[in-house]
Amino acid sequence: MKNALITGITGQDGSYLAELLLEKGYNVFGLWRRKAVADYGNIAHLKDRITLIYGDMTDAVSLIAAMQISQADEVYNLAAQSFVTASWNTPLATAEINAVGVTNMLEAIRLIKPEARFYQASTSEMFGMVQETPQRETTPFYPRSPYGVAKLYGHWITKNYRESYNMFACSGILFNHESERRGIEFVTRKITNAAAKISLGLQDFVELGNLDAKRDWGHSKDYVRAMWLMLQQDAPDDYVIATNETRTVREFAETAFSYVGIDIEWQGTGTEEIGINKANGKTVVKINPDFYRPAEVDFLLGNPEKAERELGWKREISFTDLVKGMVENDLKLVKIK
């Protein structure tokens, strides 16, 4: 029976990964920060089946302790300041967690159990102003946010420890992946939650930023399976995990609203654009310039060919099923409230 340590276990990916590892018979340990009120987030249903260890990515001593307690055979580093927009407001904190924090975790592994296998959650945001389409493992990086820059450090320090200390350390360059467990501050969940509330007469409209930003969207359940597969290989390597399909924020909104019976008609352009409910002429989407990023990432499209070939990984949940599941879940949550 293997031991696994997951940082960021209460988040979207952490919870799905914990479920996957429990199904496979792992002893699962999770790192979480001490708070005045215990917040189990997405793992409330798992808290009696896992072992939680207090710690923080910015505190190396606590990570060393977490390795000593867990004696992890596999470490999945999913902890991060994960909201891109917030990284402009908190660039130093983002760097401490997303960049230096990775080094802290790698050092803890090197000192306590160097044979442990390490997964780093890298991101398509590292490509930023894309230099090649579709983006693959060899595409040059050009991050466009403090978040992307910090994640790039985490990506390269992982590669550096692999080559310097012969550690089994690899990175998954994951493109956008969502689910019913996505935080409400993210644009996808903001849209599905609004669609649910507007359809029930509990909200009038939703404000969005750049409707034309294109993203490669998959489901978190599929992507955590790729994380696990990376650590089961004979040798460590880095992999792009993506769907090889791209959709605009506009398309995401149209798909979400269509599931609640609202067809959107777009009027105006740029920051003056609005989305109208064709059935009754009411505005359901407004553009708010405050939601535009200081430096926009306009287009992301990943090529998962290497992961499909070497890991045997395949995306199983389609874009439409992803959006449908998120809307249906938000409808249930809204009705409960």
Side-chain angles (χ1 to χ4, degrees), residues 111-129:
L111 293 171
I112 303 303
K113 195 171 181 180
E115 69 274 20
R117 298 189 169 199
F118 176 75
Y119 170 83
Q120 167 60 16
S122 290
T123 170
S124 58
E125 288 287 330
M126 300 187 307
F127 293 119
M129 187 181 290

PDB file of all heavy atoms in Angstrom, residues 111-129:
ATOM      1  N   LEU A 111      15.550  15.904   1.475  1.00  0.00           N
ATOM      2  CA  LEU A 111      16.133  15.687   2.796  1.00  0.00           C
ATOM      3  C   LEU A 111      15.559  14.465   3.510  1.00  0.00           C
ATOM      4  O   LEU A 111      16.268  13.770   4.237  1.00  0.00           O
ATOM      5  CB  LEU A 111      15.927  16.934   3.672  1.00  0.00           C
ATOM      6  CG  LEU A 111      16.684  18.192   3.245  1.00  0.00           C
ATOM      7  CD1 LEU A 111      16.222  19.392   4.059  1.00  0.00           C
ATOM      8  CD2 LEU A 111      18.190  17.993   3.381  1.00  0.00           C
ATOM      9  N   ILE A 112      14.269  14.195   3.326  1.00  0.00           N
ATOM     10  CA  ILE A 112      13.599  13.143   4.087  1.00  0.00           C
ATOM     11  C   ILE A 112      13.448  11.836   3.306  1.00  0.00           C
ATOM     12  O   ILE A 112      13.726  10.756   3.833  1.00  0.00           O
ATOM     13  CB  ILE A 112      12.210  13.622   4.572  1.00  0.00           C
ATOM     14  CG1 ILE A 112      12.347  14.892   5.410  1.00  0.00           C
ATOM     15  CG2 ILE A 112      11.514  12.519   5.367  1.00  0.00           C
ATOM     16  CD1 ILE A 112      13.265  14.762   6.614  1.00  0.00           C
ATOM     17  N   LYS A 113      13.030  11.924   2.060  1.00  0.00           N
ATOM     18  CA  LYS A 113      12.799  10.701   1.289  1.00  0.00           C
ATOM     19  C   LYS A 113      13.055  10.973  -0.196  1.00  0.00           C
ATOM     20  O   LYS A 113      12.123  11.122  -0.988  1.00  0.00           O
ATOM     21  CB  LYS A 113      11.368  10.196   1.504  1.00  0.00           C
ATOM     22  CG  LYS A 113      11.156   8.753   1.046  1.00  0.00           C
ATOM     23  CD  LYS A 113       9.793   8.230   1.480  1.00  0.00           C
ATOM     24  CE  LYS A 113       9.602   6.791   1.046  1.00  0.00           C
ATOM     25  NZ  LYS A 113       8.284   6.240   1.451  1.00  0.00           N
ATOM     26  N   PRO A 114      14.329  11.055  -0.593  1.00  0.00           N
ATOM     27  CA  PRO A 114      14.670  11.460  -1.968  1.00  0.00           C
ATOM     28  C   PRO A 114      14.177  10.509  -3.047  1.00  0.00           C
ATOM     29  O   PRO A 114      14.108  10.886  -4.216  1.00  0.00           O
ATOM     30  CB  PRO A 114      16.196  11.531  -1.946  1.00  0.00           C
ATOM     31  CG  PRO A 114      16.612  10.690  -0.777  1.00  0.00           C
ATOM     32  CD  PRO A 114      15.521  10.820   0.236  1.00  0.00           C
ATOM     33  N   GLU A 115      13.817   9.279  -2.651  1.00  0.00           N
ATOM     34  CA  GLU A 115      13.314   8.332  -3.655  1.00  0.00           C
ATOM     35  C   GLU A 115      11.831   8.537  -3.950  1.00  0.00           C
ATOM     36  O   GLU A 115      11.272   7.911  -4.868  1.00  0.00           O
ATOM     37  CB  GLU A 115      13.549   6.889  -3.195  1.00  0.00           C
ATOM     38  CG  GLU A 115      12.719   6.435  -2.007  1.00  0.00           C
ATOM     39  CD  GLU A 115      13.332   6.768  -0.649  1.00  0.00           C
ATOM     40  OE1 GLU A 115      14.202   7.665  -0.602  1.00  0.00           O
ATOM     41  OE2 GLU A 115      12.931   6.141   0.345  1.00  0.00           O
ATOM     42  N   ALA A 116      11.168   9.417  -3.195  1.00  0.00           N
ATOM     43  CA  ALA A 116       9.751   9.690  -3.438  1.00  0.00           C
ATOM     44  C   ALA A 116       9.566  10.317  -4.818  1.00  0.00           C
ATOM     45  O   ALA A 116      10.439  11.037  -5.318  1.00  0.00           O
ATOM     46  CB  ALA A 116       9.206  10.626  -2.361  1.00  0.00           C
ATOM     47  N   ARG A 117       8.435  10.060  -5.412  1.00  0.00           N
ATOM     48  CA  ARG A 117       8.131  10.609  -6.738  1.00  0.00           C
ATOM     49  C   ARG A 117       7.323  11.891  -6.569  1.00  0.00           C
ATOM     50  O   ARG A 117       6.393  11.937  -5.755  1.00  0.00           O
ATOM     51  CB  ARG A 117       7.390   9.583  -7.583  1.00  0.00           C
ATOM     52  CG  ARG A 117       8.228   8.329  -7.821  1.00  0.00           C
ATOM     53  CD  ARG A 117       7.629   7.388  -8.819  1.00  0.00           C
ATOM     54  NE  ARG A 117       8.600   6.354  -9.189  1.00  0.00           N
ATOM     55  CZ  ARG A 117       8.535   5.601 -10.280  1.00  0.00           C
ATOM     56  NH1 ARG A 117       7.519   5.761 -11.127  1.00  0.00           N
ATOM     57  NH2 ARG A 117       9.463   4.706 -10.539  1.00  0.00           N
ATOM     58  N   PHE A 118       7.660  12.913  -7.371  1.00  0.00           N
ATOM     59  CA  PHE A 118       7.088  14.250  -7.193  1.00  0.00           C
ATOM     60  C   PHE A 118       6.386  14.717  -8.454  1.00  0.00           C
ATOM     61  O   PHE A 118       6.928  14.635  -9.563  1.00  0.00           O
ATOM     62  CB  PHE A 118       8.202  15.240  -6.839  1.00  0.00           C
ATOM     63  CG  PHE A 118       7.749  16.672  -6.718  1.00  0.00           C
ATOM     64  CD1 PHE A 118       7.041  17.106  -5.610  1.00  0.00           C
ATOM     65  CD2 PHE A 118       8.042  17.600  -7.716  1.00  0.00           C
ATOM     66  CE1 PHE A 118       6.625  18.435  -5.489  1.00  0.00           C
ATOM     67  CE2 PHE A 118       7.639  18.925  -7.614  1.00  0.00           C
ATOM     68  CZ  PHE A 118       6.929  19.344  -6.488  1.00  0.00           C
ATOM     69  N   TYR A 119       5.157  15.221  -8.274  1.00  0.00           N
ATOM     70  CA  TYR A 119       4.398  15.823  -9.373  1.00  0.00           C
ATOM     71  C   TYR A 119       4.209  17.311  -9.099  1.00  0.00           C
ATOM     72  O   TYR A 119       3.728  17.696  -8.029  1.00  0.00           O
ATOM     73  CB  TYR A 119       3.019  15.162  -9.523  1.00  0.00           C
ATOM     74  CG  TYR A 119       2.131  15.914 -10.487  1.00  0.00           C
ATOM     75  CD1 TYR A 119       2.232  15.693 -11.856  1.00  0.00           C
ATOM     76  CD2 TYR A 119       1.238  16.890 -10.034  1.00  0.00           C
ATOM     77  CE1 TYR A 119       1.452  16.419 -12.752  1.00  0.00           C
ATOM     78  CE2 TYR A 119       0.462  17.612 -10.917  1.00  0.00           C
ATOM     79  CZ  TYR A 119       0.575  17.381 -12.274  1.00  0.00           C
ATOM     80  OH  TYR A 119      -0.173  18.115 -13.154  1.00  0.00           O
ATOM     81  N   GLN A 120       4.572  18.140 -10.079  1.00  0.00           N
ATOM     82  CA  GLN A 120       4.362  19.573  -9.989  1.00  0.00           C
ATOM     83  C   GLN A 120       3.247  19.998 -10.944  1.00  0.00           C
ATOM     84  O   GLN A 120       3.258  19.665 -12.129  1.00  0.00           O
ATOM     85  CB  GLN A 120       5.648  20.330 -10.328  1.00  0.00           C
ATOM     86  CG  GLN A 120       5.494  21.818 -10.580  1.00  0.00           C
ATOM     87  CD  GLN A 120       4.914  22.597  -9.392  1.00  0.00           C
ATOM     88  OE1 GLN A 120       4.888  22.092  -8.267  1.00  0.00           O
ATOM     89  NE2 GLN A 120       4.468  23.800  -9.621  1.00  0.00           N
ATOM     90  N   ALA A 121       2.286  20.755 -10.402  1.00  0.00           N
ATOM     91  CA  ALA A 121       1.173  21.257 -11.220  1.00  0.00           C
ATOM     92  C   ALA A 121       1.609  22.512 -11.960  1.00  0.00           C
ATOM     93  O   ALA A 121       1.520  23.623 -11.452  1.00  0.00           O
ATOM     94  CB  ALA A 121      -0.036  21.545 -10.343  1.00  0.00           C
ATOM     95  N   SER A 122       2.103  22.321 -13.180  1.00  0.00           N
ATOM     96  CA  SER A 122       2.415  23.457 -14.042  1.00  0.00           C
ATOM     97  C   SER A 122       1.149  23.868 -14.798  1.00  0.00           C
ATOM     98  O   SER A 122       0.098  23.258 -14.628  1.00  0.00           O
ATOM     99  CB  SER A 122       3.548  23.106 -15.000  1.00  0.00           C
ATOM    100  OG  SER A 122       4.770  22.982 -14.301  1.00  0.00           O
ATOM    101  N   THR A 123       1.245  24.866 -15.648  1.00  0.00           N
ATOM    102  CA  THR A 123       0.028  25.449 -16.224  1.00  0.00           C
ATOM    103  C   THR A 123       0.260  25.989 -17.626  1.00  0.00           C
ATOM    104  O   THR A 123       1.367  26.430 -17.970  1.00  0.00           O
ATOM    105  CB  THR A 123      -0.471  26.600 -15.324  1.00  0.00           C
ATOM    106  OG1 THR A 123      -1.519  27.322 -15.995  1.00  0.00           O
ATOM    107  CG2 THR A 123       0.638  27.594 -15.024  1.00  0.00           C
ATOM    108  N   SER A 124      -0.796  25.996 -18.413  1.00  0.00           N
ATOM    109  CA  SER A 124      -0.737  26.568 -19.756  1.00  0.00           C
ATOM    110  C   SER A 124      -0.509  28.071 -19.724  1.00  0.00           C
ATOM    111  O   SER A 124      -0.093  28.663 -20.728  1.00  0.00           O
ATOM    112  CB  SER A 124      -2.036  26.268 -20.511  1.00  0.00           C
ATOM    113  OG  SER A 124      -3.163  26.784 -19.803  1.00  0.00           O
ATOM    114  N   GLU A 125      -0.765  28.716 -18.569  1.00  0.00           N
ATOM    115  CA  GLU A 125      -0.521  30.154 -18.453  1.00  0.00           C
ATOM    116  C   GLU A 125       0.961  30.486 -18.642  1.00  0.00           C
ATOM    117  O   GLU A 125       1.304  31.636 -18.901  1.00  0.00           O
ATOM    118  CB  GLU A 125      -1.006  30.674 -17.103  1.00  0.00           C
ATOM    119  CG  GLU A 125      -2.509  30.732 -16.947  1.00  0.00           C
ATOM    120  CD  GLU A 125      -3.152  31.865 -17.751  1.00  0.00           C
ATOM    121  OE1 GLU A 125      -2.496  32.907 -17.956  1.00  0.00           O
ATOM    122  OE2 GLU A 125      -4.322  31.713 -18.158  1.00  0.00           O
ATOM    123  N   MET A 126       1.824  29.511 -18.532  1.00  0.00           N
ATOM    124  CA  MET A 126       3.256  29.736 -18.785  1.00  0.00           C
ATOM    125  C   MET A 126       3.510  30.075 -20.250  1.00  0.00           C
ATOM    126  O   MET A 126       4.490  30.732 -20.582  1.00  0.00           O
ATOM    127  CB  MET A 126       4.070  28.508 -18.390  1.00  0.00           C
ATOM    128  CG  MET A 126       3.951  28.125 -16.918  1.00  0.00           C
ATOM    129  SD  MET A 126       5.072  26.794 -16.396  1.00  0.00           S
ATOM    130  CE  MET A 126       4.733  25.498 -17.588  1.00  0.00           C
ATOM    131  N   PHE A 127       2.616  29.642 -21.150  1.00  0.00           N
ATOM    132  CA  PHE A 127       2.771  29.939 -22.573  1.00  0.00           C
ATOM    133  C   PHE A 127       2.380  31.378 -22.890  1.00  0.00           C
ATOM    134  O   PHE A 127       2.931  31.994 -23.800  1.00  0.00           O
ATOM    135  CB  PHE A 127       1.945  28.969 -23.422  1.00  0.00           C
ATOM    136  CG  PHE A 127       2.422  27.548 -23.366  1.00  0.00           C
ATOM    137  CD1 PHE A 127       1.599  26.542 -22.888  1.00  0.00           C
ATOM    138  CD2 PHE A 127       3.701  27.210 -23.776  1.00  0.00           C
ATOM    139  CE1 PHE A 127       2.030  25.231 -22.841  1.00  0.00           C
ATOM    140  CE2 PHE A 127       4.153  25.900 -23.738  1.00  0.00           C
ATOM    141  CZ  PHE A 127       3.306  24.899 -23.266  1.00  0.00           C
ATOM    142  N   GLY A 128       1.390  31.909 -22.137  1.00  0.00           N
ATOM    143  CA  GLY A 128       1.017  33.316 -22.230  1.00  0.00           C
ATOM    144  C   GLY A 128       0.828  33.836 -23.640  1.00  0.00           C
ATOM    145  O   GLY A 128      -0.140  33.504 -24.327  1.00  0.00           O
ATOM    146  N   MET A 129       1.773  34.692 -24.071  1.00  0.00           N
ATOM    147  CA  MET A 129       1.745  35.179 -25.446  1.00  0.00           C
ATOM    148  C   MET A 129       2.328  34.080 -26.325  1.00  0.00           C
ATOM    149  O   MET A 129       3.535  33.975 -26.514  1.00  0.00           O
ATOM    150  CB  MET A 129       2.564  36.467 -25.583  1.00  0.00           C
ATOM    151  CG  MET A 129       2.454  37.129 -26.950  1.00  0.00           C
ATOM    152  SD  MET A 129       3.450  38.631 -27.073  1.00  0.00           S
ATOM    153  CE  MET A 129       2.535  39.732 -25.987  1.00  0.00           C
TER     154      MET A 129
END
